[in-house]
Amino acid sequence: MEFKEQWNLGMAMEVLASPNVDGEVWSEAVKWLLLYGPPRIKEILEQASSHAFNEYLPQLQPRGYGDDGQAYYDLGEIAAALGVEEDEVAARLAELQFEEGVEVFVEGDRVYKLH
């Protein structure tokens, strides 16, 4: 079963509201909402994600911006800040791109170089 079909809005919101849910399940619910949820919920989660990113990874500075204002970061700096190998970060981003159709490295006809 594809990731998109594993969740629905009610299920994902119920997980977010639960105080005792497993962190991995919570993360999957948020991921589903960011990818497939209603626009207003996606907006709220993106704002929260941006705030958390800036709060917990203040050393990371954007290396550029897309036409829509989306910040782009250096992959090596992200990996260093998270304490993981760069290949691991690249693999997770590639997984999102290829399995869920999220354009991580490419936007329209523009390719963003992370280094």
Side-chain angles (χ1 to χ4, degrees):
M1 177 183 285
E2 289 188 33
F3 180 70
K4 184 176 183 178
E5 284 78 41
Q6 291 176 0
W7 293 87
N8 64 44
L9 180 60
M11 290 167 53
M13 295 303 289
E14 185 175 322
V15 166
L16 292 188
S18 174
N20 301 319
V21 72
D22 173 72
E24 189 172 323
V25 173
W26 187 89
S27 176
E28 291 292 309
V30 169
K31 177 180 167 183
W32 187 90
L33 288 166
L34 283 168
L35 293 171
Y36 308 111
R40 180 65 182 134
I41 291 174
K42 288 165 80 169
E43 180 183 331
I44 291 167
L45 289 172
E46 287 168 359
Q47 288 173 354
S49 175
S50 178
H51 175 75
F53 187 86
N54 292 329
E55 176 80 17
Y56 294 102
L57 300 170
Q59 70 274 31
L60 292 177
Q61 298 300 311
R63 294 296 175 199
Y65 295 90
D67 292 338
D68 62 357
Q70 175 70 40
Y72 292 91
Y73 295 86
D74 181 273
L75 192 61
E77 291 176 5
I78 291 172
L82 296 174
V84 298
E85 294 294 321
E86 190 173 326
D87 290 346
E88 184 179 339
V89 175
R92 296 293 295 247
L93 292 174
E95 179 183 313
L96 276 175
Q97 182 169 337
F98 295 112
E99 291 181 12
E100 305 304 332
V102 176
E103 292 184 346
V104 177
F105 300 108
V106 179
E107 182 178 8
D109 61 349
R110 294 176 64 186
V111 176
Y112 293 93
K113 188 174 179 183
L114 297 174
H115 291 288

